[in-house]
Amino acid sequence: LRGRRRALVHFRTCAADAPVLVGTHHKTGTVLLERLLAMYASERRVHFHKPAWERCPWIARREGGVCVDEHLNLNRLRRFWMPPASAAATLRAPLVHVVREPLEACVSAYQYHLHASEDWLRVPRKEEEVLRSHPLAATLAGLPWQEVLRRTSARDGIELECRRSIKDQIAQQAEAFNATRADARVFTMRMEATEKDFDGTMRKLFTFLGAAHASWPGIASE
């Protein structure tokens, strides 16, 4: 709570309002960033929307707002943010992209999936490729993913989670990072940076947003 209050001091200094796009991935700090940017939106008196860009009306309307996509991938980047056709590209909208070191993301996902109550974790599914070569593959195939993790050791469970994640959120994270890393409109926020220096990372984040807003056509002259 104290950290979020300190973050308020940083984003109260941001410049004029305009759409902000935010992209996160599973276990990269989504809840933390959403709470911070919901506070940011409240302070700016603009709308806040999650969990996907395609359902955020403020992009098409080109109105002030914060639009969060909790599972950012390359297709959504191309459709909503990258030039030439997207409204966000026309506006040169800033993008905040959160990433996390892959092994940490795997461990966090493993711990979360062991106990989470999401429906998909309890639905029987085929994981043949993930389970391939595992000694218990024959008995684990077809079980819900949560049950797979609970029937294996922590070491095996983390390995299996990494195998699954690397074809899903970790791959999406890498593709989005590689597609945006050289763009000045992007602030890439590393989860590890918030753990090492929360205040400094928040200062950089909201300084970036303030500068991005101030440089937009029609805003700098207001």
Side-chain angles (χ1 to χ4, degrees), residues 112-123:
Y112 176 75
H113 292 154
L114 274 178
H115 307 291
S117 57
E118 294 183 20
D119 290 340
W120 73 270
L121 289 168
R122 295 182 170 87
V123 176

Side-chain angles (χ1 to χ4, degrees), residues 49-123:
H49 179 89
K50 65 173 186 177
W53 288 348
E54 55 260 39
R55 295 198 290 273
C56 185
W58 323 119
I59 299 176
R61 295 180 188 176
R62 305 187 180 199
E63 298 176 1
V66 176
C67 299
V68 178
D69 197 304
E70 296 180 348
H71 299 282
L72 181 62
N73 58 45
L74 195 55
N75 287 336
R76 286 198 183 107
L77 270 174
R78 289 171 174 162
R79 180 181 174 189
F80 292 99
W81 184 81
M82 297 173 75
S86 71
T90 304
L91 288 170
R92 294 195 58 78
L95 167 67
V96 177
H97 181 214
V98 186
V99 298
R100 189 176 189 180
E101 198 279 324
L103 183 56
E104 286 198 12
C106 284
V107 173
S108 182
Y110 167 75
Q111 293 172 330
Y112 176 75
H113 292 154
L114 274 178
H115 307 291
S117 57
E118 294 183 20
D119 290 340
W120 73 270
L121 289 168
R122 295 182 170 87
V123 176

Side-chain angles (χ1 to χ4, degrees), residues 131 134-142:
L131 294 172
H134 192 280
L136 298 178
T139 59
L140 296 176

